[in-house]
Amino acid sequence: MSEATFGEYGGQYVPEALMPALAELEDAYERYVRNNEEGFMHEFRERMADFGGRPTPLQRADRLSERYDREIYLKREDLLHGGAHKLNNALGQVLLAKYMGKERIIAETGAGQHGTATAMAAAHLDMPCEIYMGRTDVNRQRPNVYRMRMNGAEVTPVEAGRGTLKEAINATMRDWATTVENTHYVIGSVVGPHPFPTMVRDFQSVIGREARDQIREKAGRLPDSVLACAGGGSNTMGSFHAFVPDSVEQRSAKDSSGQRPRDGVSLYAVEAGGSSLEIDEEEGLAPNSATLSTGTDGVLHGAMTKLLQSTDGQIMESHSVSAGLDYAGVGPELSHLVAEGRVTPASVGDDAALEAFHRLSRLEGIIPALESAHALGYLERVAGPDAGEYDVEADLGDLVVVTVSGRGDKDLETVLEETEKRDIEAAPDVEVFGQ
Amino acid sequence: MSEATFGEYGGQYVPEALMPALAELEDAYERYVRNNEEGFMHEFRERMADFGGRPTPLQRADRLSERYDREIYLKREDLLHGGAHKLNNALGQVLLAKYMGKERIIAETGAGQHGTATAMAAAHLDMPCEIYMGRTDVNRQRPNVYRMRMNGAEVTPVEAGRGTLKEAINATMRDWATTVENTHYVIGSVVGPHPFPTMVRDFQSVIGREARDQIREKAGRLPDSVLACAGGGSNTMGSFHAFVPDSVEQRSAKDSSGQRPRDGVSLYAVEAGGSSLEIDEEEGLAPNSATLSTGTDGVLHGAMTKLLQSTDGQIMESHSVSAGLDYAGVGPELSHLVAEGRVTPASVGDDAALEAFHRLSRLEGIIPALESAHALGYLERVAGPDAGEYDVEADLGDLVVVTVSGRGDKDLETVLEETEKRDIEAAPDVEVFGQ
Amino acid sequence: MNAGTDSEIERTIRENHPALIAYITAGDPSLEETREYVEALDRGGADLIELGLPFSEPIAEGPTIQAAINRSLEAGTTPGAFFDLVAGLETEAPLLVMTYYNMILQHGPDADPEPFVSRAAEAGLAGIIVPDLPAEESGPLRKACEAHGLDLVFIVAPTTDDERLDSIMERTAGFAYVQARLGTTGARADVSGATHDSLARLDEYPIPKAVGFGVSEGDHAAEIVSAGADGVIVGSALVDLIAESEDPVAALESKARELKAGAERGVPEPEQP
Amino acid sequence: MNAGTDSEIERTIRENHPALIAYITAGDPSLEETREYVEALDRGGADLIELGLPFSEPIAEGPTIQAAINRSLEAGTTPGAFFDLVAGLETEAPLLVMTYYNMILQHGPDADPEPFVSRAAEAGLAGIIVPDLPAEESGPLRKACEAHGLDLVFIVAPTTDDERLDSIMERTAGFAYVQARLGTTGARADVSGATHDSLARLDEYPIPKAVGFGVSEGDHAAEIVSAGADGVIVGSALVDLIAESEDPVAALESKARELKAGAERGVPEPEQP
Ligand SMILES: Cc1ncc(COP(=O)(O)O)c(C=O)c1O
Ligand SMILES: Cc1ncc(COP(=O)(O)O)c(C=O)c1O
């Protein structure tokens, strides 16, 4: 069986009623995903190719390479069906639910990316689907709500609390606790109780597997570093998993042909720094979601991991200009890899992410998701022309892969609004033309 | 040199000032595109793969296949970078302009799809870019305006006339007539003066080339028919070009192994039937853009082709619920192929397109562009459960390829609005959840 | 049955069989009022009282208790103040704390449950219920509870299979919390069929069983007890009274009486020897 | 120079050298008013008058003439009414029609230009200018024009290379329309350098050259004629007067006078023999 924990992180902190479902899921995961019973993985890969559009390209970013004076390659998950890496996981889980004989799919969503991916996968595989979404998110992410509805999913607004992702997860867990016998809960990131973090990572790991092959093909060697944004961490773990063994230690044990990277492949998980890394204990507010950098150990949504929490243990309201990173927890495996030193946590604030959004749009003709813009913002902080001004030191090396986890069409309104409030370098004049 | 005409259609009906630019373009097209000088085609294909996401999948549509009791495959141009087939052409032309030493790109856009594709390509290739867009379109297609701006393009609203695509083309031609020496005009479809129709077709023909290989790989034979929506016709010609030689006549001359389709590959160009195929001469209004089905020969925007025009020769205002099909002309090669009988023109009205939009979203988890929904609507009219009710006869055969030319994210608002006005089968309840 | 247990909770259930276990959320709407409500429940005949220590992500609760938790958090309830309240309470009924695992981990440094348990023992609590802590993950907390003489109560769900049942029943202390139905807490209008099945499955285990999730009326209590339960657990129905009644103190006391009477009605007539 | 041409237009230019060619859009704001404006231009000394037959897609026009065309189309101008107007005009200056090729194709069935030319000849028009018809595509129309004795005037652009120049100059009839600068029609404040270059290139061809695109003042006319042109073509400046002047008839007449006088000022003093 797969390990339920990653060092001290992970586990299964859920109500007893769900434990048998987790056991059943673990069993199905072992059989279908790990041992490819009934050709599950074959079908999954074929559907990800034909329906999802895999493989996604690894593209050399000419102008970023120039700007940062090193080779920058972009892993283009923005080209996946639905517009983000989320489908890798959603399709995997919905297909698995089908193999398990489940009759209904539920999922939570924050910004709506995981919800739309799940709704698409459920429509594709003809499964009834219900998506829980906080009231605030329903109101501010209308287009995604409509997309889900058009794919035939029910969208259920969650009125509790501040009506965002955290509350949506709680509501989905409650639904699951009631309907667990015929329903599968498609968790949207590498979070939640075992086996979710492992399984979601496996479904997402195609990102890094492809990127690893592609960079060797294109650049003739492994990269010096890989950068990916981290919310719950599915994009991060998906991007990193294939590279985790390429560490300094493990690689220096191998032969030292020119094929290997300088010092192993460094892995940078870039979180949302929001407006500040300080926490407002009084208000229960963390104006960021830099869990790996600033969080403390605790249990949330079924797993022991790093959290943004008060000293009493109440979970903080997190914040980021990018809704998809706006979560107070993070995947337990990522917490572990950071604790071990294999993954370096980093964070980039709202302003730098907005700048990076505009920069990539303008220089490369790719409008990235605001989430992905965080990883690009880190590149600028470390290697940009004004890098000296920031207190960020990182040795990214000469060959860098950045995962563009999604496209930014969904973010246009937010970006316009937020850009107008600030003085953002690289932003175009987005005056609304007179009527 | 390439032929300037297709039978009686095509030609170069432009102001004298532009003729030398057309000659220069023709020369560049011959050298770079047809003869791959300086490795142009190699670079083009590589960029289309890495930046654009080619090849796009050919996906078996399981539930449509069931519904229509035949094998339905979807060519997934909706997965291309930018969300539509438009990039195939835009990137080709911007790259060609670069090889030609041009310093500036201009383009027209209606709904904004070609404009965004061109802006993306220009950003990617570091070329200054200006997009002309009718005032009405600017006002109703804000998100696309913002996308272009974010990619660094200027967007110039055209105040003339009704402020739609026709006027935008006129304005771009005027700019070009002034700046022709250093500027390339990236025409957005297989229209305009020679060599545009031929060149744009060649850039788009990758759609059909891939689809032809993919269907042989997946189904073991050529399809019985290929369906594609037609506005200007770049998606149509791109989808059909590789199949044009697979006609009954030409194929029956070959050996009759089981590999060939029943009777050659039938090609259906599906235009927008709008609200009616009747024309209002008085108002100068055609409430459709079914040019191939109802148009007459004439000269528009540089070419002799089929047009929607009054008996005096004034061009009609066309109409379709789908902005990308809303054009009173059509590519001259398509006019020719229809005249020759190789391509069958068909049309599908607004309602049927909206239905098909919802049907694909719900059954397959793919939200198509409203343009593409027209091709899918034709499938329903011919082969759907209520096919008997419509006066549409077509022998599509057992193996059908439909090109999904783009994704429908851009159409959500229109679809919501238009769906609410009508009684559309397959539409979900899209009530706006209370605040 | 073995009456010689050193568990105060188990002893209490046996001595007051069939037992009424009452839940309310501490700090809803204030800790001061909680004190009065606890005393009212005690007077009304509750044999054990569970106090919810509010956590921001109450994934096992239905809307009623979610709302109570929100009210409590908004009132500023902290673990420190909670323990102070508990330490000052003098009820006949032993008290348990019901909270989520993260609250327990954060009471001291290093995500260690021991400081919480130590403080709970000091405040006089007799047991702990943690809805998001299944048997598998309970090692550290159980160890601390054993060290401090507190009962860690586990929940048995309708989905719990026989294999897991053994391990839960082996570990649970004080009583087994039998979840009456799938889903979250919340008052229901009937008794679930699953309750009967669960109680039948548990018959062989010597530890007392108390049924919760959805119990709201005396008649439910009667039915549950007659199906073999040693106690009934009532939460949402009491929380509703706190939120809606004009005189919650009186309402709680009389509701406790009704429930306790119901439970007693359910006791089967002793068979003739 | 060869004065023995059978082209009325060419003869008119030679006889009135340097010639003023005036353009207005027919039907702007109504055909009735167009009649008065044509007569005014004729009185003012225009040697040739071009009438624009409006087409919905005037890709070669700048904003001024675009607007005029829109006004005309909104007033309901049709080719039939246009020809009726022309047939009734009695001006000293020969008349030309300027329109787009599709208008010519649609006058009869089967996209054939002949019916249009035949009707134009019947109405007394002397020539046709088609801004979107380059020499290469002009075969059918030229044939019809020759058959009906109309001049088909071609445009020479600043971008026209020497190779194409020959073929244009070979085909153009009446005069060569020399496009003064790149771009669309529209009044400008100066004379483009391109004009001088173009005229120099055309020197060797015997047919008269008239310069248009941007000419708006007498001084421009003078400069152009002194650079070797046989005539100047003025359009947008006149259309502006129609749109803006309080008395367009008087304004047009006096503007024509100014332009004609300007052109004449440009004629080089005859060299001393
Ligand atoms: C484009 C994109 N990137 C990243 C994320 C963050 O999620 P995760 O960290 O699980 O990849 C999201 C979440 O919605 C997303 O939409
Ligand atoms: C998705 C899509 N399909 C089709 C079209 C129609 O254009 P064409 O006929 O040139 O393919 C458009 C034009 O914008 C489009 O966006």
Side-chain angles (χ1 to χ4, degrees):
Chain A
M1 292 298 268
S2 52
E3 277 287 334
T5 54
F6 310 94
E8 60 201 308
Y9 299 105
Q12 300 185 306
Y13 298 85
V14 297
E16 169 60 23
L18 294 178
M19 289 300 286
L22 294 180
E24 185 190 349
L25 182 62
E26 201 176 341
D27 176 61
Y29 162 67
E30 289 286 337
R31 287 171 47 211
Y32 298 122
V33 181
R34 306 200 73 156
N35 302 323
N36 192 26
E37 275 184 34
E38 298 174 33
F40 174 88
M41 284 306 288
H42 176 78
E43 179 170 354
F44 172 55
R45 293 215 177 98
E46 191 172 297
R47 288 189 187 273
M48 278 312 303
D50 288 1
F51 175 65
R54 297 221 75 89
T56 60
L58 181 77
Q59 182 207 329
R60 181 177 188 279
D62 297 346
R63 297 181 70 194
L64 291 191
S65 297
E66 213 173 282
R67 182 176 182 90
Y68 300 126
D69 195 20
R70 64 196 77 205
E71 294 292 293
I72 310 289
Y73 282 83
L74 305 176
K75 180 61 178 165
R76 298 287 305 280
E77 292 300 298
D78 61 302
L79 291 175
L80 208 65
H81 183 48
H85 70 295
K86 294 283 176 191
L87 187 71
N88 296 319
N89 169 43
L91 190 77
Q93 287 199 49
V94 177
L95 189 65
L96 189 63
K98 214 161 172 140
Y99 274 65
M100 290 168 73
K102 298 289 177 185
E103 288 158 16
R104 177 172 170 265
I105 290 298
I106 55 174
E108 88 290 346
T109 199
Q113 292 306 103
H114 175 56
T116 55
T118 304
M120 284 179 156
H124 176 65
L125 293 167
D126 199 8
M127 283 279 250
C129 173
E130 181 168 356
I131 306 288
Y132 289 90
M133 190 170 185
R135 160 61 64 201
T136 310
D137 288 337
V138 164
N139 290 344
R140 69 183 173 189
Q141 309 282 347
R142 294 267 154 184
N144 275 340
V145 174
Y146 295 134
R147 287 166 83 200
M148 292 184 262
R149 293 291 293 124
M150 282 167 179
N151 287 141
E154 289 300 323
V155 179
T156 303
V158 178
E159 309 289 346
R162 306 230 310 203
T164 61
L165 176 60
K166 216 159 52 74
E167 288 81 15
I169 298 182
N170 296 346
T172 320
M173 289 242 177
R174 290 185 190 111
D175 178 318
W176 204 32
T178 315
T179 60
V180 60
E181 287 159 316
N182 72 350
T183 296
H184 177 68
Y185 175 8
V186 178
I187 287 189
S189 191
V190 288
V191 300
H194 175 73
F196 282 106
T198 308
M199 180 176 72
V200 174
R201 175 205 70 201
D202 284 358
F203 286 138
Q204 291 288 3
S205 64
V206 63
I207 303 174
R209 243 182 1 260
E210 284 177 6
R212 197 170 182 282
D213 289 348
Q214 288 165 325
I215 192 88
R216 295 178 81 154
E217 168 89 22
K218 283 180 197 279
R221 67 175 180 98
L222 290 181
D224 296 321
S225 52
V226 179
L227 276 61
C229 67
S234 66
N235 167 56
T236 338
M237 282 313 307
S239 299
F240 292 174
H241 187 59
F243 293 103
V244 167
D246 303 317
S247 61
V248 196
E249 304 75 33
Q250 302 200 28
R251 295 201 63 81
S252 53
K254 298 191 189 165
D255 79 341
S256 61
S257 76
Q259 289 300 85
R260 70 182 188 76
R262 218 180 25 170
D263 304 310
V265 180
S266 304
L267 305 173
Y268 292 88
V270 186
E271 299 187 294
S275 56
S276 151
L277 291 184
E278 305 293 306
I279 268 183
D280 183 341
E281 271 260 352
E282 189 102 347
E283 283 296 308
L285 246 162
N288 63 68
S289 36
T291 319
L292 292 169
S293 309
T294 72
T296 52
D297 293 355
V299 165
L300 176 64
H301 294 143
M304 171 81 72
T305 189
K306 293 249 177 244
L307 303 179
L308 298 179
Q309 57 183 336
S310 72
T311 48
D312 280 348
Q314 307 295 357
I315 306 305
M316 295 275 176
E317 292 291 340
S318 56
H319 162 81
S320 167
V321 69
S322 117
L325 298 184
D326 196 347
Y327 180 56
V330 68
E333 186 172 12
L334 211 41
S335 292
H336 171 64
L337 290 171
V338 166
E340 267 198 321
R342 180 66 192 95
V343 167
T344 308
S347 69
V348 152
D350 292 346
D351 289 13
L354 286 163
E355 264 179 40
F357 175 97
H358 289 298
R359 190 175 300 110
L360 194 75
S361 301
R362 176 164 281 202
L363 293 186
E364 298 285 349
I366 300 168
I367 302 179
L370 263 176
E371 290 80 9
S372 321
H374 284 75
L376 296 156
Y378 187 61
L379 200 55
E380 174 79 10
R381 284 288 191 258
V382 173
D386 301 332
E389 287 177 26
Y390 307 101
D391 198 20
V392 186
E393 292 262 328
D395 184 5
L396 302 181
D398 300 324
L399 182 58
V400 181
V401 170
V402 186
T403 305
V404 180
S405 54
R407 59 171 140 93
D409 303 49
K410 66 181 180 64
D411 293 317
L412 291 185
E413 267 187 49
T414 307
V415 168
L416 286 170
E417 227 169 78
E418 297 289 335
T419 300
E420 229 162 63
K421 287 193 213 155
R422 302 154 208 245
D423 185 20
I424 297 293
E425 199 201 302
D429 190 356
V430 284
E431 90 288 359
V432 173
F433 302 98
Q435 305 272 337
Chain B
M1 292 298 268
S2 51
E3 278 287 337
T5 54
F6 309 93
E8 59 200 310
Y9 299 106
Q12 299 184 306
Y13 298 86
V14 296
E16 169 60 23
L18 294 178
M19 290 299 288
L22 294 180
E24 186 190 348
L25 182 61
E26 202 177 341
D27 177 61
Y29 162 67
E30 290 287 336
R31 288 173 45 211
Y32 297 122
V33 181
R34 305 199 73 156
N35 301 324
N36 192 25
E37 275 184 32
E38 298 174 33
F40 174 88
M41 284 306 288
H42 177 76
E43 180 171 353
F44 172 55
R45 292 215 179 98
E46 192 172 297
R47 288 190 188 272
M48 278 312 303
D50 288 1
F51 176 66
R54 298 221 74 89
T56 60
L58 182 78
Q59 182 207 330
R60 181 176 189 279
D62 297 345
R63 296 180 71 195
L64 291 191
S65 297
E66 213 173 283
R67 183 176 181 90
Y68 300 126
D69 196 20
R70 67 197 75 204
E71 293 292 294
I72 309 290
Y73 282 84
L74 305 176
K75 179 61 177 163
R76 298 287 306 279
E77 292 299 299
D78 61 302
L79 291 176
L80 208 64
H81 184 47
H85 69 297
K86 294 283 174 190
L87 187 71
N88 295 320
N89 168 43
L91 190 77
Q93 287 199 49
V94 177
L95 189 64
L96 189 63
K98 213 161 172 139
Y99 274 64
M100 290 169 73
K102 297 288 178 187
E103 288 158 15
R104 177 172 170 264
I105 290 298
I106 54 174
E108 88 289 346
T109 198
Q113 292 304 106
H114 175 56
T116 55
T118 304
M120 283 179 156
H124 177 65
L125 293 167
D126 199 8
M127 283 279 251
C129 173
E130 181 168 355
I131 306 289
Y132 288 91
M133 190 169 183
R135 160 62 62 202
T136 311
D137 288 337
V138 165
N139 290 345
R140 71 184 170 186
Q141 309 281 348
R142 294 268 153 183
N144 276 339
V145 173
Y146 295 135
R147 287 165 82 200
M148 292 184 260
R149 293 292 292 126
M150 282 169 179
N151 287 141
E154 289 302 322
V155 178
T156 303
V158 178
E159 309 288 346
R162 306 230 312 204
T164 62
L165 176 59
K166 216 158 52 78
E167 289 81 16
I169 297 182
N170 297 345
T172 319
M173 289 240 176
R174 291 185 190 110
D175 178 318
W176 204 32
T178 314
T179 59
V180 59
E181 287 159 316
N182 74 348
T183 296
H184 176 70
Y185 175 9
V186 178
I187 287 190
S189 190
V190 288
V191 301
H194 176 74
F196 282 106
T198 308
M199 180 176 72
V200 175
R201 175 205 69 201
D202 283 359
F203 286 137
Q204 290 289 3
S205 64
V206 64
I207 303 174
R209 244 186 357 263
E210 284 177 6
R212 198 170 181 282
D213 289 348
Q214 288 165 324
I215 192 88
R216 293 178 82 154
E217 167 88 23
K218 283 180 196 277
R221 66 174 180 102
L222 290 181
D224 296 320
S225 52
V226 179
L227 276 61
C229 67
S234 66
N235 167 55
T236 339
M237 282 312 308
S239 299
F240 293 173
H241 187 59
F243 292 102
V244 166
D246 303 316
S247 61
V248 197
E249 304 76 31
Q250 300 200 26
R251 294 201 62 82
S252 53
K254 299 191 189 166
D255 81 340
S256 61
S257 76
Q259 289 301 86
R260 70 183 188 76
R262 218 179 25 168
D263 305 308
V265 181
S266 304
L267 305 174
Y268 292 87
V270 186
E271 298 187 296
S275 56
S276 151
L277 291 186
E278 305 293 307
I279 269 185
D280 183 341
E281 271 260 352
E282 189 100 349
E283 283 295 309
L285 247 163
N288 63 69
S289 36
T291 319
L292 291 169
S293 310
T294 71
T296 53
D297 293 355
V299 165
L300 175 64
H301 295 143
M304 171 80 74
T305 188
K306 293 246 176 246
L307 303 179
L308 299 178
Q309 57 184 336
S310 72
T311 47
D312 279 348
Q314 306 296 355
I315 306 305
M316 295 275 176
E317 291 291 339
S318 56
H319 163 81
S320 166
V321 69
S322 119
L325 299 184
D326 196 347
Y327 180 55
V330 68
E333 185 172 11
L334 211 41
S335 292
H336 170 64
L337 289 171
V338 166
E340 266 199 321
R342 180 69 190 91
V343 167
T344 307
S347 68
V348 153
D350 292 347
D351 289 13
L354 285 164
E355 263 180 39
F357 176 99
H358 289 298
R359 191 175 301 111
L360 194 75
S361 302
R362 177 165 279 202
L363 293 186
E364 298 285 349
I366 300 168
I367 302 179
L370 263 177
E371 291 80 10
S372 321
H374 284 75
L376 296 157
Y378 188 62
L379 199 56
E380 174 79 11
R381 284 288 190 258
V382 172
D386 301 331
E389 287 178 25
Y390 308 101
D391 199 19
V392 186
E393 292 262 326
D395 185 5
L396 301 181
D398 299 325
L399 183 58
V400 181
V401 170
V402 186
T403 305
V404 180
S405 54
R407 60 172 140 92
D409 302 49
K410 66 180 180 64
D411 294 317
L412 291 185
E413 266 187 51
T414 307
V415 168
L416 287 171
E417 227 170 76
E418 297 288 336
T419 300
E420 230 163 62
K421 288 193 212 152
R422 303 154 208 244
D423 185 21
I424 297 293
E425 199 200 302
D429 190 355
V430 283
E431 89 288 359
V432 173
F433 302 99
Q435 305 272 337
Chain C
M1 287 197 193
N2 166 24
T5 175
D6 58 358
S7 156
E8 184 190 356
I9 293 173
E10 186 172 344
R11 214 168 43 239
T12 304
I13 294 175
R14 294 198 191 288
E15 285 168 6
N16 298 282
H17 185 279
L20 169 63
I21 305 173
Y23 166 95
I24 62 175
T25 302
D28 166 30
S30 75
L31 286 172
E32 203 33 65
E33 276 147 307
T34 300
R35 172 195 311 277
E36 293 174 41
Y37 301 157
V38 168
E39 288 164 358
L41 291 167
D42 195 41
R43 282 194 305 276
D47 301 303
L48 288 166
I49 298 173
E50 274 178 38
L51 285 172
L53 170 63
F55 176 51
S56 57
E57 319 302 317
I59 58 170
E61 318 300 344
T64 303
I65 296 181
Q66 279 178 57
I69 287 174
N70 280 346
R71 288 191 296 268
S72 174
L73 287 174
E74 265 159 38
T77 306
T78 62
F82 168 80
F83 284 127
D84 290 347
L85 166 81
V86 171
L89 283 170
E90 290 183 3
T91 54
E92 196 162 318
L95 302 175
L96 296 89
V97 58
M98 173 145 176
T99 194
Y100 288 76
Y101 195 44
N102 197 51
M103 295 303 293
I104 293 172
L105 290 178
Q106 305 307 325
H107 200 67
D110 302 327
D112 172 6
E114 202 279 338
F116 183 95
V117 178
S118 156
R119 178 77 183 95
E122 216 176 277
L125 284 158
I128 304 187
I129 306 177
V130 190
D132 64 343
L133 190 73
E136 284 81 346
E137 305 288 357
S138 65
L141 181 59
R142 246 180 328 122
K143 219 175 98 193
C145 284
E146 277 161 18
H148 290 280
L150 259 70
D151 287 345
L152 179 58
V153 179
F154 285 93
I155 296 172
V156 176
T159 49
T160 305
D161 58 24
D162 293 343
E163 202 178 317
R164 306 193 73 252
L165 197 57
D166 272 342
S167 93
I168 293 171
M169 295 308 282
E170 214 167 80
R171 286 177 174 86
T172 195
F175 64 96
Y177 189 133
V178 181
Q179 182 179 332
R181 63 184 82 221
L182 282 181
T184 52
T185 57
R188 309 290 154 81
D190 64 340
V191 173
S192 148
T195 307
H196 296 267
D197 299 347
S198 298
L199 288 170
R201 285 207 297 162
L202 292 172
D203 208 36
E204 57 177 290
Y205 295 96
I207 198 154
K209 297 107 206 163
V211 174
F213 274 54
V215 185
S216 61
E217 290 170 23
D219 287 348
H220 298 167
E223 186 179 341
I224 288 165
V225 169
S226 78
D230 302 299
V232 295
I233 308 166
V234 181
S236 297
L238 304 176
V239 170
D240 273 340
L241 292 177
I242 292 174
E244 289 160 17
S245 155
E246 297 207 339
D247 181 354
V249 169
L252 286 171
E253 182 174 340
S254 85
K255 185 75 185 179
R257 256 185 247 296
E258 173 207 325
L259 290 161
K260 178 74 183 178
E264 282 167 347
R265 272 203 312 281
V267 178
E269 298 292 313
E271 285 175 38
Q272 296 302 94
Chain D
M1 286 194 196
N2 167 24
T5 174
D6 59 356
S7 155
E8 182 188 0
I9 293 173
E10 186 171 344
R11 214 168 42 236
T12 304
I13 293 175
R14 294 202 191 284
E15 284 169 6
N16 298 283
H17 186 279
L20 170 63
I21 306 174
Y23 166 95
I24 61 174
T25 301
D28 167 29
S30 74
L31 287 173
E32 203 32 69
E33 277 149 305
T34 299
R35 172 193 312 279
E36 293 174 40
Y37 300 158
V38 169
E39 288 164 358
L41 291 167
D42 195 41
R43 283 194 305 277
D47 301 302
L48 288 167
I49 298 173
E50 274 179 39
L51 287 173
L53 170 62
F55 175 52
S56 55
E57 319 302 317
I59 59 170
E61 319 300 345
T64 303
I65 297 183
Q66 279 178 57
I69 287 174
N70 280 347
R71 289 191 294 268
S72 173
L73 287 173
E74 265 159 39
T77 307
T78 62
F82 168 78
F83 284 127
D84 290 348
L85 165 80
V86 170
L89 283 172
E90 291 183 3
T91 54
E92 197 161 317
L95 301 176
L96 297 91
V97 57
M98 172 145 176
T99 194
Y100 288 77
Y101 195 45
N102 196 51
M103 296 303 294
I104 293 172
L105 289 178
Q106 305 307 325
H107 199 65
D110 301 327
D112 173 5
E114 204 278 338
F116 183 94
V117 178
S118 154
R119 178 77 184 92
E122 218 176 277
L125 284 158
I128 305 187
I129 306 178
V130 190
D132 64 343
L133 189 72
E136 285 81 346
E137 304 288 358
S138 64
L141 180 59
R142 244 176 334 116
K143 220 175 97 195
C145 284
E146 275 160 20
H148 291 279
L150 260 70
D151 286 345
L152 180 58
V153 179
F154 285 95
I155 296 172
V156 176
T159 49
T160 305
D161 59 23
D162 292 344
E163 203 178 317
R164 305 194 73 253
L165 196 57
D166 273 342
S167 93
I168 293 171
M169 295 308 284
E170 214 166 82
R171 285 178 176 83
T172 195
F175 64 97
Y177 188 133
V178 181
Q179 182 179 331
R181 64 183 82 221
L182 283 180
T184 51
T185 56
R188 309 288 155 82
D190 64 341
V191 173
S192 149
T195 307
H196 296 266
D197 299 347
S198 297
L199 288 170
R201 285 205 298 162
L202 292 173
D203 208 36
E204 57 176 292
Y205 297 96
I207 197 153
K209 297 106 205 162
V211 173
F213 274 54
V215 185
S216 62
E217 291 171 22
D219 288 348
H220 298 167
E223 186 178 342
I224 287 166
V225 169
S226 77
D230 304 298
V232 295
I233 309 166
V234 181
S236 298
L238 304 176
V239 170
D240 273 340
L241 292 177
I242 291 174
E244 290 162 18
S245 156
E246 296 205 342
D247 180 354
V249 170
L252 286 170
E253 183 175 338
S254 86
K255 185 77 183 177
R257 256 184 247 294
E258 174 207 327
L259 290 162
K260 178 73 183 178
E264 281 168 351
R265 272 203 311 283
V267 178
E269 297 293 314
E271 284 175 39
Q272 296 304 93

